[in-house]
Amino acid sequence: QPRDLILFFNYCIKKANDRAHFTRAIIKEAEGEYSRTRLRSLADEWYSDYPNLQIAIKLLMKKTSHFIITDISDQETEDIGFEILAEGSNNGYIFNDANLLFSTKIDHSTFRKKLIFVFYKIGMVGLKTETHQKTIWTTDGERIISSAEMSDETKVIIHPAFERVLGIMESTGIH
């Protein structure tokens, strides 16, 4: 998105402190600040629908940039669900879904897919439901994936703007 490019470039200029060029260190520092700011803005923008988004996002921490939904373990899913119920706002879709998980009305797989769908809907991740298709992003304005099209084998691609703040590792390329 052009606004994202402008925002990132402004962080680079700010970090350069009147220097004539950007060093690798300046760009890395700006990238971290930009990534944190974008995540905070996204959480603020979607707060009314997803007040527990900041907690749910922890599910993506330290993942690779590309993974399949089943790469998130039942234990990780349960831990996030428990944290949402224990520390989160007791309203919104994410809270309700966590409640359904612990009341055994939905299973771990369904809860995972619901969270990933939220991340997709807000533009944090792109999805590939078929190996031969390109990554679909809600921000592209093209085709939109419905939650019904998702499976445990759906590939998740974290948007590069959020990789730094999430501590994303390079993809191993095995998916």
Side-chain angles (χ1 to χ4, degrees):
Q1 300 287 355
R3 72 178 164 99
D4 290 330
L5 184 59
I6 292 167
L7 185 61
F8 177 68
F9 190 66
N10 285 337
Y11 280 117
C12 290
I13 292 169
K14 181 179 162 187
K15 295 295 177 189
N17 290 328
D18 296 327
R19 288 185 223 137
H21 64 284
F22 301 143
T23 64
R24 185 179 300 257
I26 288 170
I27 292 170
K28 279 290 192 195
E29 194 175 334
E31 182 183 43
E33 193 170 332
Y34 166 77
S35 191
R36 282 186 297 280
T37 301
R38 284 294 300 131
L39 184 60
R40 181 75 248 158
S41 294
L42 196 66
D44 290 346
E45 178 183 345
W46 287 94
Y47 185 81
S48 63
D49 289 333
Y50 308 113
N52 295 302
L53 186 61
Q54 285 284 74
I55 297 171
I57 286 169
K58 293 178 184 179
L59 193 65
L60 300 176
M61 299 289 273
K62 307 278 189 233
K63 297 283 182 235
T64 58
S65 58
H66 298 68
F67 61 92
I68 57 173
I69 292 176
T70 55
D71 288 343
I72 300 170
S73 71
D74 285 355
Q75 187 62 55
E76 289 173 291
T77 305
E78 211 167 280
D79 291 347
I80 287 297
F82 181 75
E83 188 173 346
I84 289 164
L85 292 178
E87 298 174 22
S89 172
N90 63 350
N91 61 9
Y93 300 108
I94 294 172
F95 180 86
N96 292 339
D97 289 339
N99 206 22
L100 290 173
L101 174 68
F102 286 101
S103 63
T104 64
K105 292 187 174 134
I106 63 172
D107 60 15
H108 291 83
S109 172
T110 302
F111 184 60
R112 263 190 299 273
K113 285 185 274 192
K114 284 176 167 280
L115 289 177
I116 294 297
F117 188 72
V118 167
F119 302 148
Y120 166 70
K121 182 177 174 181
I122 66 172
M124 216 175 158
V125 302
L127 299 176
K128 281 180 79 165
T129 56
E130 302 290 335
T131 55
H132 63 275
Q133 78 179 159
K134 68 178 191 162
T135 302
I136 307 293
W137 301 90
T138 55
T139 54
D140 284 346
E142 295 177 15
R143 175 186 179 295
I144 301 293
I145 294 173
S146 72
S147 59
E149 294 176 83
M150 294 174 61
S151 73
D152 287 334
E153 298 305 310
T154 296
K155 189 172 188 178
V156 179
I157 299 86
I158 296 177
H159 192 288
F162 304 108
E163 287 183 2
R164 191 72 189 277
V165 70
L166 294 173
I168 299 304
M169 301 174 282
E170 287 298 316
S171 179
T172 58
I174 57 174
H175 296 295

